[in-house]
Amino acid sequence: MVSAIGQPISRVLLSDQVYARVRGLIVSGDLKPGERLVESEIARQLTVSQAPVREAVKRLVHEGLAQHVPRRGSFVATVSQDDAASARAVRVVIEELAARTLAERADPAALADLDAQVEAMREAAAEGDVGRFRDADITFHRIVCEAGGNPFLPKVWAVMEPSLRGLRVVSDPTFTGDWAEMAEQHAGLLDALRTADPQLAGEKFAAHARGEIPGA
């Protein structure tokens, strides 16, 4: 457990505040994969009762950032190489189809939303805010699935997103590459969508999902 989670927090929406604090530590890599989330210790450090901590941990488990093991407790999620490979294989298919359908529609509102996420990634990279970067990254890909017009794509993405969040957070906590460069890679994906060329967009997103673009 990280020795100092931070200063005591106010007693307004405690579970939300505890969730945000612990989630931030997981996303940033300060809490490592496999590390136990000791509810009593978190409560002690934040000077709150265990009830809001328990609710916060449940949210993290639902989001895919933590795993609960009966009679042992909750832990920061770990991802096996097999799980990562399986998730990536499914993601390739989903994102290629989503990009193709969105490129065909060329929805201006969706493209504007995606541009906002790219800007959020750029700002987060400049500020060194890894958690905000990753949130903008996964939101970018969710928008692509939601905006394509195929009603099944957002449903499939909603099922996958908890696992993808876990994969993205715990599989690269020590990433030492260029976050700004990664933001520009997403700008390139957006440019592919703007061409209104479904084949090009699909190929670009499939390559990104396969990890062929550095930092994917």
Side-chain angles (χ1 to χ4, degrees):
M1 175 62 62
V2 173
S3 60
I5 288 181
Q7 298 299 315
I9 57 182
S10 65
R11 298 183 178 278
V12 179
L13 298 174
L14 285 177
S15 64
D16 287 348
Q17 294 184 66
V18 173
Y19 162 80
R21 189 73 60 83
V22 179
R23 184 183 188 280
L25 292 171
I26 294 174
V27 171
S28 67
D30 290 321
L31 286 172
K32 308 299 183 186
E35 191 164 352
R36 188 179 178 190
L37 299 174
V38 183
E39 294 177 5
S40 60
E41 178 63 16
I42 295 172
R44 184 191 67 77
Q45 291 196 37
L46 297 179
T47 65
V48 299
S49 69
Q50 284 188 230
V53 176
R54 190 172 302 114
E55 288 303 313
V57 171
K58 286 180 180 177
R59 287 178 64 184
L60 292 166
V61 170
H62 177 73
E63 194 175 1
L65 300 183
Q67 298 168 328
H68 180 72
V69 180
R71 296 182 295 279
R72 290 189 58 202
S74 297
F75 302 81
V76 178
T78 57
V79 180
S80 71
Q81 291 298 316
D82 287 344
D83 285 345
S86 295
R88 192 178 292 276
V90 174
R91 183 184 170 196
V92 169
V93 176
I94 297 303
E95 293 220 49
E96 180 176 7
L97 176 57
R100 283 178 174 273
T101 55
L102 181 53
E104 289 173 352
R105 290 166 60 88
D107 182 350
L111 296 178
D113 288 343
L114 291 170
D115 189 55
Q117 296 308 315
V118 171
E119 287 304 313
M121 281 185 255
R122 287 169 171 156
E123 292 172 4
E127 297 168 5
D129 189 337
V130 175
R132 184 183 174 201
F133 188 100
R134 287 173 171 148
D135 281 342
D137 182 356
I138 206 159
T139 299
F140 177 98
H141 293 281
R142 185 197 310 129
I143 291 170
V144 173
C145 287
E146 292 175 342
N150 184 323
F152 287 94
L153 283 174
K155 293 177 182 179
V156 175
W157 181 265
V159 172
M160 292 178 58
E161 183 169 317
S163 296
L164 292 175
R165 280 189 177 277
L167 284 166
R168 298 189 70 76
V169 172
V170 304
S171 64
D172 67 347
T174 57
F175 174 72
T176 57
D178 189 333
W179 292 102
E181 180 182 343
M182 195 185 296
E184 296 313 312
Q185 290 162 9
H186 284 79
L189 293 175
L190 179 53
D191 287 342
L193 292 172
R194 285 194 171 113
T195 66
D197 182 336
Q199 181 173 346
L200 174 64
E203 290 173 352
K204 292 286 188 181
F205 273 80
H208 182 79
R210 283 193 296 266
E212 294 175 5
I213 298 176

